[in-house]
Amino acid sequence: MNRQLILLCLAALLSTTALGRRLAADSDAADSWPQRRALLEGDEELDSETTITADCQVVNADGTDVTKDFVTETADGKTRVDCVGPKACFQKVINNCDIVHCEDLEACEEAHLIDIQERLECEGRHSCHRTEMELTQETTVNGKPFSVSCNGSAACNVAQLVALTIPMDVICSGPKSCRKARIDANDGRVECKDGGTRYESCRGSVAIKAKCLVCNGDNSCGEHINVCKYSLNNGEKWEICHSNDSFGDCD
């Protein structure tokens, strides 16, 4: 009996300690984005190991520059950020790079992407979970829209993908691939496809602003205003999505 009591006390102590660490981590996560944005915008003093430039850059939540660990140059001279592996780029700030590739479970969870130049690739379950991307550049590469691919179950779950100044083309492929996402594609095109019989590709309070929305096939888009809604040409009126249909100027 005494041994069982001791074991119960130890389990309770370990649980309390783990909970304390989790609460502290959640508090740090809630406060980290304003700090990281301030670091990139020059509003906060940097530590001695951090240098912010206008070039492609990857920065940790604490402001440490880890660009060299994630960035490579492609054969055609583009800067490519490879976030491969579970939580590889968790809460990182990625700024002014050409290509960002997120692959594996929660690879780019809660990452913040600023002015990525060419494309974002989210491959695999929850690969871009709660990722936030904002594009403010004035021009696109070779005159083509910026490209986002959300491939896999819940790949861009609760993501915020916002193009303020340029067109952006987004493909949501797989069950819940863009669940609860906010997508502002400006004058771009959004396609939802390859949903499952239980979960559509674009569902769960997803909100889409675009020049064109394509709900490609059965179970591509939820069919209720609180499940999938869209607005065309930056309008203020929201409409209900429907599978096997397209909306707006899709020529």
Side-chain angles (χ1 to χ4, degrees), residues 6-231:
I6 291 171
L7 290 174
L8 286 172
C9 291
L10 285 172
L13 177 62
L14 290 171
S15 177
T16 303
T17 304
L19 178 60
R21 287 197 301 264
R22 178 60 183 271
L23 289 173
D26 289 347
S27 177
D28 291 343
D31 294 338
S32 60
W33 170 232
Q35 177 187 13
R36 284 177 282 158
R37 182 86 190 215
L39 286 170
L40 284 173
E41 293 178 347
D43 296 332
E44 186 168 317
E45 186 176 350
L46 306 175
D47 61 44
S48 59
E49 297 182 357
T50 306
T51 303
I52 299 298
T53 71
D55 298 325
C56 172
Q57 188 170 42
V58 183
V59 180
N60 275 340
D62 63 1
T64 304
D65 191 318
V66 291
T67 304
K68 60 181 174 52
D69 298 326
F70 291 91
V71 177
T72 58
E73 186 173 311
T74 65
D76 55 352
K78 303 291 179 64
T79 52
R80 176 185 169 97
V81 181
D82 280 307
C83 300
V84 180
K87 292 188 181 293
C89 289
F90 175 66
Q91 289 191 345
K92 285 178 171 48
V93 178
I94 304 173
N95 180 55
N96 203 38
C97 304
D98 293 316
I99 303 163
V100 177
H101 179 79
C102 306
E103 183 179 343
D104 215 333
L105 181 65
E106 298 173 345
C108 291
E109 183 181 20
E110 296 184 17
H112 295 268
L113 316 182
I114 303 170
D115 291 346
I116 308 306
Q117 298 298 306
E118 187 169 329
R119 66 181 183 270
L120 168 64
E121 302 168 344
C122 301
E123 301 288 338
R125 183 169 177 263
H126 279 210
S127 51
C128 290
H129 178 56
R130 295 188 181 276
T131 299
E132 295 185 11
M133 182 181 71
E134 184 176 272
L135 306 177
T136 63
Q137 62 262 42
E138 295 299 326
T139 59
T140 59
V141 176
N142 297 325
K144 298 179 180 179
F146 185 90
S147 172
V148 178
S149 57
C150 301
N151 293 322
S153 177
C156 293
N157 183 56
V158 204
Q160 296 190 41
L161 309 172
V162 179
L164 296 176
T165 51
I166 61 172
M168 176 174 69
D169 287 351
V170 181
I171 296 180
C172 303
S173 179
K176 300 190 292 184
S177 53
C178 288
R179 173 183 173 270
K180 288 190 176 181
R182 174 198 170 193
I183 302 174
D184 190 340
N186 207 297
D187 286 331
R189 179 181 189 270
V190 177
E191 181 178 0
C192 306
K193 64 179 184 176
D194 299 330
T197 55
R198 185 174 179 183
Y199 296 115
E200 300 91 349
S201 176
C202 293
R203 60 161 289 122
S205 303
V206 63
I208 299 168
K209 287 189 174 183
K211 181 180 180 180
C212 164
L213 168 64
V214 177
C215 294
N216 186 355
D218 295 336
N219 305 311
S220 54
C221 295
E223 299 188 0
H224 190 282
I225 195 67
N226 293 327
V227 176
C228 179
K229 61 183 180 181
Y230 70 92
S231 177

Side-chain angles (χ1 to χ4, degrees), residues 236-251:
E236 296 182 359
K237 183 179 180 181
W238 292 100
E239 303 286 353
I240 302 172
C241 309
H242 294 280
S243 293
N244 292 300
D245 207 345
S246 61
F247 312 91
D249 185 2
C250 298
D251 294 336

